[in-house]
PDB file of all heavy atoms in Angstrom:
ATOM      1  N   LYS A 147     -42.947  27.463   5.894  1.00  0.00           N
ATOM      2  CA  LYS A 147     -43.846  26.540   5.203  1.00  0.00           C
ATOM      3  C   LYS A 147     -43.982  25.230   5.980  1.00  0.00           C
ATOM      4  O   LYS A 147     -45.092  24.703   6.157  1.00  0.00           O
ATOM      5  CB  LYS A 147     -43.319  26.272   3.798  1.00  0.00           C
ATOM      6  CG  LYS A 147     -44.204  25.363   2.972  1.00  0.00           C
ATOM      7  CD  LYS A 147     -43.627  25.185   1.572  1.00  0.00           C
ATOM      8  CE  LYS A 147     -44.498  24.241   0.740  1.00  0.00           C
ATOM      9  NZ  LYS A 147     -43.949  24.053  -0.629  1.00  0.00           N
ATOM     10  N   GLU A 148     -42.850  24.713   6.443  1.00  0.00           N
ATOM     11  CA  GLU A 148     -42.878  23.449   7.187  1.00  0.00           C
ATOM     12  C   GLU A 148     -43.646  23.597   8.499  1.00  0.00           C
ATOM     13  O   GLU A 148     -44.422  22.710   8.897  1.00  0.00           O
ATOM     14  CB  GLU A 148     -41.448  22.977   7.471  1.00  0.00           C
ATOM     15  CG  GLU A 148     -40.704  22.503   6.230  1.00  0.00           C
ATOM     16  CD  GLU A 148     -39.255  22.161   6.526  1.00  0.00           C
ATOM     17  OE1 GLU A 148     -38.886  22.172   7.729  1.00  0.00           O
ATOM     18  OE2 GLU A 148     -38.501  21.890   5.573  1.00  0.00           O
ATOM     19  N   LEU A 149     -43.458  24.724   9.190  1.00  0.00           N
ATOM     20  CA  LEU A 149     -44.137  24.922  10.468  1.00  0.00           C
ATOM     21  C   LEU A 149     -45.640  25.094  10.255  1.00  0.00           C
ATOM     22  O   LEU A 149     -46.452  24.564  11.026  1.00  0.00           O
ATOM     23  CB  LEU A 149     -43.552  26.129  11.191  1.00  0.00           C
ATOM     24  CG  LEU A 149     -44.105  26.403  12.594  1.00  0.00           C
ATOM     25  CD1 LEU A 149     -43.955  25.166  13.489  1.00  0.00           C
ATOM     26  CD2 LEU A 149     -43.399  27.598  13.224  1.00  0.00           C
ATOM     27  N   ARG A 150     -46.026  25.831   9.213  1.00  0.00           N
ATOM     28  CA  ARG A 150     -47.458  26.005   8.931  1.00  0.00           C
ATOM     29  C   ARG A 150     -48.106  24.662   8.602  1.00  0.00           C
ATOM     30  O   ARG A 150     -49.238  24.387   9.030  1.00  0.00           O
ATOM     31  CB  ARG A 150     -47.643  26.984   7.775  1.00  0.00           C
ATOM     32  CG  ARG A 150     -47.286  28.422   8.133  1.00  0.00           C
ATOM     33  CD  ARG A 150     -47.439  29.344   6.957  1.00  0.00           C
ATOM     34  NE  ARG A 150     -48.840  29.421   6.527  1.00  0.00           N
ATOM     35  CZ  ARG A 150     -49.238  30.146   5.490  1.00  0.00           C
ATOM     36  NH1 ARG A 150     -48.343  30.829   4.772  1.00  0.00           N
ATOM     37  NH2 ARG A 150     -50.525  30.183   5.158  1.00  0.00           N
ATOM     38  N   THR A 151     -47.399  23.832   7.865  1.00  0.00           N
ATOM     39  CA  THR A 151     -47.922  22.495   7.549  1.00  0.00           C
ATOM     40  C   THR A 151     -48.064  21.667   8.820  1.00  0.00           C
ATOM     41  O   THR A 151     -49.061  20.953   9.010  1.00  0.00           O
ATOM     42  CB  THR A 151     -46.980  21.779   6.561  1.00  0.00           C
ATOM     43  OG1 THR A 151     -46.887  22.546   5.362  1.00  0.00           O
ATOM     44  CG2 THR A 151     -47.504  20.398   6.220  1.00  0.00           C
ATOM     45  N   SER A 152     -47.076  21.785   9.714  1.00  0.00           N
ATOM     46  CA  SER A 152     -47.112  21.034  10.960  1.00  0.00           C
ATOM     47  C   SER A 152     -48.273  21.488  11.833  1.00  0.00           C
ATOM     48  O   SER A 152     -48.967  20.673  12.459  1.00  0.00           O
ATOM     49  CB  SER A 152     -45.786  21.207  11.710  1.00  0.00           C
ATOM     50  OG  SER A 152     -45.830  20.580  12.969  1.00  0.00           O
ATOM     51  N   ILE A 153     -48.504  22.816  11.889  1.00  0.00           N
ATOM     52  CA  ILE A 153     -49.605  23.352  12.691  1.00  0.00           C
ATOM     53  C   ILE A 153     -50.947  22.879  12.133  1.00  0.00           C
ATOM     54  O   ILE A 153     -51.846  22.468  12.880  1.00  0.00           O
ATOM     55  CB  ILE A 153     -49.547  24.890  12.728  1.00  0.00           C
ATOM     56  CG1 ILE A 153     -48.318  25.362  13.521  1.00  0.00           C
ATOM     57  CG2 ILE A 153     -50.827  25.470  13.314  1.00  0.00           C
ATOM     58  CD1 ILE A 153     -48.087  26.854  13.467  1.00  0.00           C
ATOM     59  N   ALA A 154     -51.069  22.924  10.784  1.00  0.00           N
ATOM     60  CA  ALA A 154     -52.326  22.519  10.149  1.00  0.00           C
ATOM     61  C   ALA A 154     -52.617  21.044  10.372  1.00  0.00           C
ATOM     62  O   ALA A 154     -53.785  20.635  10.458  1.00  0.00           O
ATOM     63  CB  ALA A 154     -52.272  22.827   8.653  1.00  0.00           C
ATOM     64  N   ALA A 155     -51.570  20.239  10.477  1.00  0.00           N
ATOM     65  CA  ALA A 155     -51.755  18.790  10.630  1.00  0.00           C
ATOM     66  C   ALA A 155     -51.810  18.341  12.074  1.00  0.00           C
ATOM     67  O   ALA A 155     -51.985  17.157  12.365  1.00  0.00           O
ATOM     68  CB  ALA A 155     -50.623  18.050   9.905  1.00  0.00           C
ATOM     69  N   SER A 156     -51.675  19.297  13.020  1.00  0.00           N
ATOM     70  CA  SER A 156     -51.632  18.930  14.430  1.00  0.00           C
ATOM     71  C   SER A 156     -52.991  18.432  14.914  1.00  0.00           C
ATOM     72  O   SER A 156     -54.035  18.996  14.589  1.00  0.00           O
ATOM     73  CB  SER A 156     -51.201  20.142  15.259  1.00  0.00           C
ATOM     74  OG  SER A 156     -51.261  19.843  16.630  1.00  0.00           O
ATOM     75  N   ASP A 157     -52.980  17.392  15.728  1.00  0.00           N
ATOM     76  CA  ASP A 157     -54.210  16.853  16.302  1.00  0.00           C
ATOM     77  C   ASP A 157     -54.729  17.758  17.421  1.00  0.00           C
ATOM     78  O   ASP A 157     -55.937  17.883  17.638  1.00  0.00           O
ATOM     79  CB  ASP A 157     -53.977  15.445  16.850  1.00  0.00           C
ATOM     80  CG  ASP A 157     -53.708  14.437  15.728  1.00  0.00           C
ATOM     81  OD1 ASP A 157     -54.202  14.680  14.609  1.00  0.00           O
ATOM     82  OD2 ASP A 157     -53.010  13.432  15.995  1.00  0.00           O
ATOM     83  N   ASP A 158     -53.792  18.381  18.106  1.00  0.00           N
ATOM     84  CA  ASP A 158     -54.173  19.239  19.230  1.00  0.00           C
ATOM     85  C   ASP A 158     -54.349  20.667  18.726  1.00  0.00           C
ATOM     86  O   ASP A 158     -53.474  21.513  18.848  1.00  0.00           O
ATOM     87  CB  ASP A 158     -53.089  19.174  20.321  1.00  0.00           C
ATOM     88  CG  ASP A 158     -53.565  19.837  21.611  1.00  0.00           C
ATOM     89  OD1 ASP A 158     -54.686  20.396  21.609  1.00  0.00           O
ATOM     90  OD2 ASP A 158     -52.816  19.774  22.596  1.00  0.00           O
ATOM     91  N   ARG A 159     -55.503  20.966  18.148  1.00  0.00           N
ATOM     92  CA  ARG A 159     -55.745  22.262  17.533  1.00  0.00           C
ATOM     93  C   ARG A 159     -55.996  23.358  18.576  1.00  0.00           C
ATOM     94  O   ARG A 159     -56.095  24.536  18.233  1.00  0.00           O
ATOM     95  CB  ARG A 159     -56.945  22.179  16.584  1.00  0.00           C
ATOM     96  CG  ARG A 159     -56.732  21.200  15.445  1.00  0.00           C
ATOM     97  CD  ARG A 159     -57.950  21.145  14.524  1.00  0.00           C
ATOM     98  NE  ARG A 159     -57.741  20.163  13.462  1.00  0.00           N
ATOM     99  CZ  ARG A 159     -57.101  20.413  12.322  1.00  0.00           C
ATOM    100  NH1 ARG A 159     -56.614  21.616  12.112  1.00  0.00           N
ATOM    101  NH2 ARG A 159     -56.939  19.472  11.407  1.00  0.00           N
ATOM    102  N   TYR A 160     -56.124  22.983  19.860  1.00  0.00           N
ATOM    103  CA  TYR A 160     -56.426  23.973  20.889  1.00  0.00           C
ATOM    104  C   TYR A 160     -55.176  24.429  21.646  1.00  0.00           C
ATOM    105  O   TYR A 160     -55.269  25.253  22.546  1.00  0.00           O
ATOM    106  CB  TYR A 160     -57.440  23.391  21.885  1.00  0.00           C
ATOM    107  CG  TYR A 160     -58.743  23.028  21.233  1.00  0.00           C
ATOM    108  CD1 TYR A 160     -59.017  21.698  20.899  1.00  0.00           C
ATOM    109  CD2 TYR A 160     -59.695  23.997  20.930  1.00  0.00           C
ATOM    110  CE1 TYR A 160     -60.209  21.359  20.275  1.00  0.00           C
ATOM    111  CE2 TYR A 160     -60.895  23.666  20.315  1.00  0.00           C
ATOM    112  CZ  TYR A 160     -61.154  22.344  19.982  1.00  0.00           C
ATOM    113  OH  TYR A 160     -62.315  22.009  19.370  1.00  0.00           O
ATOM    114  N   ASP A 161     -54.031  23.859  21.275  1.00  0.00           N
ATOM    115  CA  ASP A 161     -52.789  24.252  21.953  1.00  0.00           C
ATOM    116  C   ASP A 161     -51.683  24.420  20.920  1.00  0.00           C
ATOM    117  O   ASP A 161     -50.801  23.570  20.783  1.00  0.00           O
ATOM    118  CB  ASP A 161     -52.402  23.205  22.998  1.00  0.00           C
ATOM    119  CG  ASP A 161     -51.188  23.656  23.818  1.00  0.00           C
ATOM    120  OD1 ASP A 161     -50.905  24.881  23.791  1.00  0.00           O
ATOM    121  OD2 ASP A 161     -50.555  22.800  24.447  1.00  0.00           O
ATOM    122  N   VAL A 162     -51.758  25.486  20.172  1.00  0.00           N
ATOM    123  CA  VAL A 162     -50.746  25.774  19.153  1.00  0.00           C
ATOM    124  C   VAL A 162     -50.017  27.087  19.473  1.00  0.00           C
ATOM    125  O   VAL A 162     -49.397  27.690  18.611  1.00  0.00           O
ATOM    126  CB  VAL A 162     -51.393  25.867  17.747  1.00  0.00           C
ATOM    127  CG1 VAL A 162     -51.925  24.517  17.328  1.00  0.00           C
ATOM    128  CG2 VAL A 162     -52.475  26.938  17.730  1.00  0.00           C
ATOM    129  N   SER A 163     -50.134  27.528  20.736  1.00  0.00           N
ATOM    130  CA  SER A 163     -49.531  28.811  21.102  1.00  0.00           C
ATOM    131  C   SER A 163     -48.025  28.822  20.883  1.00  0.00           C
ATOM    132  O   SER A 163     -47.455  29.807  20.408  1.00  0.00           O
ATOM    133  CB  SER A 163     -49.838  29.138  22.566  1.00  0.00           C
ATOM    134  OG  SER A 163     -49.364  28.085  23.411  1.00  0.00           O
ATOM    135  N   GLY A 164     -47.374  27.691  21.237  1.00  0.00           N
ATOM    136  CA  GLY A 164     -45.925  27.616  21.036  1.00  0.00           C
ATOM    137  C   GLY A 164     -45.542  27.689  19.573  1.00  0.00           C
ATOM    138  O   GLY A 164     -44.762  28.568  19.163  1.00  0.00           O
ATOM    139  N   PRO A 165     -46.092  26.822  18.720  1.00  0.00           N
ATOM    140  CA  PRO A 165     -45.790  26.876  17.288  1.00  0.00           C
ATOM    141  C   PRO A 165     -46.201  28.200  16.641  1.00  0.00           C
ATOM    142  O   PRO A 165     -45.484  28.714  15.778  1.00  0.00           O
ATOM    143  CB  PRO A 165     -46.587  25.696  16.720  1.00  0.00           C
ATOM    144  CG  PRO A 165     -46.691  24.748  17.856  1.00  0.00           C
ATOM    145  CD  PRO A 165     -46.844  25.603  19.070  1.00  0.00           C
ATOM    146  N   GLU A 166     -47.333  28.768  17.073  1.00  0.00           N
ATOM    147  CA  GLU A 166     -47.776  30.035  16.491  1.00  0.00           C
ATOM    148  C   GLU A 166     -46.802  31.160  16.829  1.00  0.00           C
ATOM    149  O   GLU A 166     -46.525  32.026  15.998  1.00  0.00           O
ATOM    150  CB  GLU A 166     -49.180  30.386  17.007  1.00  0.00           C
ATOM    151  CG  GLU A 166     -50.287  29.556  16.393  1.00  0.00           C
ATOM    152  CD  GLU A 166     -50.547  29.915  14.932  1.00  0.00           C
ATOM    153  OE1 GLU A 166     -49.918  30.849  14.410  1.00  0.00           O
ATOM    154  OE2 GLU A 166     -51.395  29.242  14.321  1.00  0.00           O
ATOM    155  N   ARG A 167     -46.280  31.132  18.044  1.00  0.00           N
ATOM    156  CA  ARG A 167     -45.297  32.153  18.414  1.00  0.00           C
ATOM    157  C   ARG A 167     -44.014  31.979  17.596  1.00  0.00           C
ATOM    158  O   ARG A 167     -43.422  32.950  17.143  1.00  0.00           O
ATOM    159  CB  ARG A 167     -44.982  32.064  19.915  1.00  0.00           C
ATOM    160  CG  ARG A 167     -43.882  33.041  20.328  1.00  0.00           C
ATOM    161  CD  ARG A 167     -43.744  33.168  21.830  1.00  0.00           C
ATOM    162  NE  ARG A 167     -42.620  34.010  22.177  1.00  0.00           N
ATOM    163  CZ  ARG A 167     -42.602  35.343  22.085  1.00  0.00           C
ATOM    164  NH1 ARG A 167     -43.662  35.984  21.623  1.00  0.00           N
ATOM    165  NH2 ARG A 167     -41.541  36.029  22.442  1.00  0.00           N
ATOM    166  N   THR A 168     -43.595  30.725  17.421  1.00  0.00           N
ATOM    167  CA  THR A 168     -42.410  30.458  16.589  1.00  0.00           C
ATOM    168  C   THR A 168     -42.640  30.946  15.161  1.00  0.00           C
ATOM    169  O   THR A 168     -41.748  31.520  14.535  1.00  0.00           O
ATOM    170  CB  THR A 168     -42.092  28.949  16.589  1.00  0.00           C
ATOM    171  OG1 THR A 168     -41.868  28.514  17.930  1.00  0.00           O
ATOM    172  CG2 THR A 168     -40.866  28.663  15.744  1.00  0.00           C
ATOM    173  N   LEU A 169     -43.862  30.725  14.666  1.00  0.00           N
ATOM    174  CA  LEU A 169     -44.193  31.166  13.315  1.00  0.00           C
ATOM    175  C   LEU A 169     -44.132  32.684  13.212  1.00  0.00           C
ATOM    176  O   LEU A 169     -43.622  33.226  12.222  1.00  0.00           O
ATOM    177  CB  LEU A 169     -45.595  30.662  12.944  1.00  0.00           C
ATOM    178  CG  LEU A 169     -46.079  30.944  11.518  1.00  0.00           C
ATOM    179  CD1 LEU A 169     -45.150  30.300  10.494  1.00  0.00           C
ATOM    180  CD2 LEU A 169     -47.512  30.443  11.333  1.00  0.00           C
ATOM    181  N   TRP A 170     -44.613  33.359  14.240  1.00  0.00           N
ATOM    182  CA  TRP A 170     -44.572  34.821  14.269  1.00  0.00           C
ATOM    183  C   TRP A 170     -43.123  35.320  14.248  1.00  0.00           C
ATOM    184  O   TRP A 170     -42.779  36.274  13.530  1.00  0.00           O
ATOM    185  CB  TRP A 170     -45.300  35.316  15.529  1.00  0.00           C
ATOM    186  CG  TRP A 170     -45.278  36.803  15.695  1.00  0.00           C
ATOM    187  CD1 TRP A 170     -46.085  37.723  15.080  1.00  0.00           C
ATOM    188  CD2 TRP A 170     -44.388  37.549  16.539  1.00  0.00           C
ATOM    189  NE1 TRP A 170     -45.778  38.984  15.476  1.00  0.00           N
ATOM    190  CE2 TRP A 170     -44.725  38.915  16.379  1.00  0.00           C
ATOM    191  CE3 TRP A 170     -43.362  37.208  17.415  1.00  0.00           C
ATOM    192  CZ2 TRP A 170     -44.067  39.938  17.071  1.00  0.00           C
ATOM    193  CZ3 TRP A 170     -42.707  38.211  18.094  1.00  0.00           C
ATOM    194  CH2 TRP A 170     -43.044  39.564  17.919  1.00  0.00           C
ATOM    195  N   ILE A 171     -42.262  34.674  15.006  1.00  0.00           N
ATOM    196  CA  ILE A 171     -40.841  35.042  15.038  1.00  0.00           C
ATOM    197  C   ILE A 171     -40.195  34.826  13.671  1.00  0.00           C
ATOM    198  O   ILE A 171     -39.442  35.671  13.177  1.00  0.00           O
ATOM    199  CB  ILE A 171     -40.102  34.221  16.124  1.00  0.00           C
ATOM    200  CG1 ILE A 171     -40.589  34.619  17.519  1.00  0.00           C
ATOM    201  CG2 ILE A 171     -38.592  34.401  16.000  1.00  0.00           C
ATOM    202  CD1 ILE A 171     -40.054  33.736  18.641  1.00  0.00           C
ATOM    203  N   LEU A 172     -40.490  33.678  13.059  1.00  0.00           N
ATOM    204  CA  LEU A 172     -39.915  33.378  11.745  1.00  0.00           C
ATOM    205  C   LEU A 172     -40.350  34.394  10.706  1.00  0.00           C
ATOM    206  O   LEU A 172     -39.552  34.818   9.851  1.00  0.00           O
ATOM    207  CB  LEU A 172     -40.325  31.971  11.309  1.00  0.00           C
ATOM    208  CG  LEU A 172     -39.683  30.799  12.053  1.00  0.00           C
ATOM    209  CD1 LEU A 172     -40.316  29.480  11.613  1.00  0.00           C
ATOM    210  CD2 LEU A 172     -38.175  30.770  11.822  1.00  0.00           C
ATOM    211  N   ARG A 173     -41.627  34.811  10.756  1.00  0.00           N
ATOM    212  CA  ARG A 173     -42.123  35.803   9.803  1.00  0.00           C
ATOM    213  C   ARG A 173     -41.429  37.143   9.990  1.00  0.00           C
ATOM    214  O   ARG A 173     -41.094  37.819   9.014  1.00  0.00           O
ATOM    215  CB  ARG A 173     -43.638  35.955   9.958  1.00  0.00           C
ATOM    216  CG  ARG A 173     -44.439  34.808   9.360  1.00  0.00           C
ATOM    217  CD  ARG A 173     -45.892  34.894   9.739  1.00  0.00           C
ATOM    218  NE  ARG A 173     -46.693  33.894   9.022  1.00  0.00           N
ATOM    219  CZ  ARG A 173     -47.935  33.565   9.351  1.00  0.00           C
ATOM    220  NH1 ARG A 173     -48.522  34.141  10.407  1.00  0.00           N
ATOM    221  NH2 ARG A 173     -48.594  32.660   8.650  1.00  0.00           N
ATOM    222  N   ASN A 174     -41.211  37.526  11.243  1.00  0.00           N
ATOM    223  CA  ASN A 174     -40.488  38.778  11.505  1.00  0.00           C
ATOM    224  C   ASN A 174     -39.050  38.700  10.989  1.00  0.00           C
ATOM    225  O   ASN A 174     -38.514  39.668  10.427  1.00  0.00           O
ATOM    226  CB  ASN A 174     -40.483  39.091  13.009  1.00  0.00           C
ATOM    227  CG  ASN A 174     -41.800  39.668  13.472  1.00  0.00           C
ATOM    228  OD1 ASN A 174     -42.572  40.187  12.670  1.00  0.00           O
ATOM    229  ND2 ASN A 174     -42.076  39.583  14.766  1.00  0.00           N
ATOM    230  N   GLU A 175     -38.423  37.545  11.206  1.00  0.00           N
ATOM    231  CA  GLU A 175     -37.056  37.359  10.710  1.00  0.00           C
ATOM    232  C   GLU A 175     -37.025  37.411   9.186  1.00  0.00           C
ATOM    233  O   GLU A 175     -36.094  37.978   8.596  1.00  0.00           O
ATOM    234  CB  GLU A 175     -36.498  36.025  11.214  1.00  0.00           C
ATOM    235  CG  GLU A 175     -36.231  36.012  12.717  1.00  0.00           C
ATOM    236  CD  GLU A 175     -35.807  34.648  13.232  1.00  0.00           C
ATOM    237  OE1 GLU A 175     -35.979  33.645  12.506  1.00  0.00           O
ATOM    238  OE2 GLU A 175     -35.296  34.579  14.370  1.00  0.00           O
ATOM    239  N   ALA A 176     -38.039  36.834   8.543  1.00  0.00           N
ATOM    240  CA  ALA A 176     -38.117  36.878   7.084  1.00  0.00           C
ATOM    241  C   ALA A 176     -38.297  38.312   6.599  1.00  0.00           C
ATOM    242  O   ALA A 176     -37.707  38.722   5.599  1.00  0.00           O
ATOM    243  CB  ALA A 176     -39.255  35.990   6.583  1.00  0.00           C
TER     244      ALA A 176
END
Side-chain angles (χ1 to χ4, degrees):
K147 182 178 179 180
E148 290 175 7
L149 184 55
R150 290 178 64 181
T151 300
S152 175
I153 292 173
S156 175
D157 292 332
D158 191 356
R159 299 180 182 275
Y160 299 100
D161 186 18
V162 293
S163 57
E166 286 289 356
R167 176 169 175 76
T168 301
L169 184 60
W170 178 81
I171 293 172
L172 289 173
R173 284 171 173 166
N174 282 339
E175 291 174 345

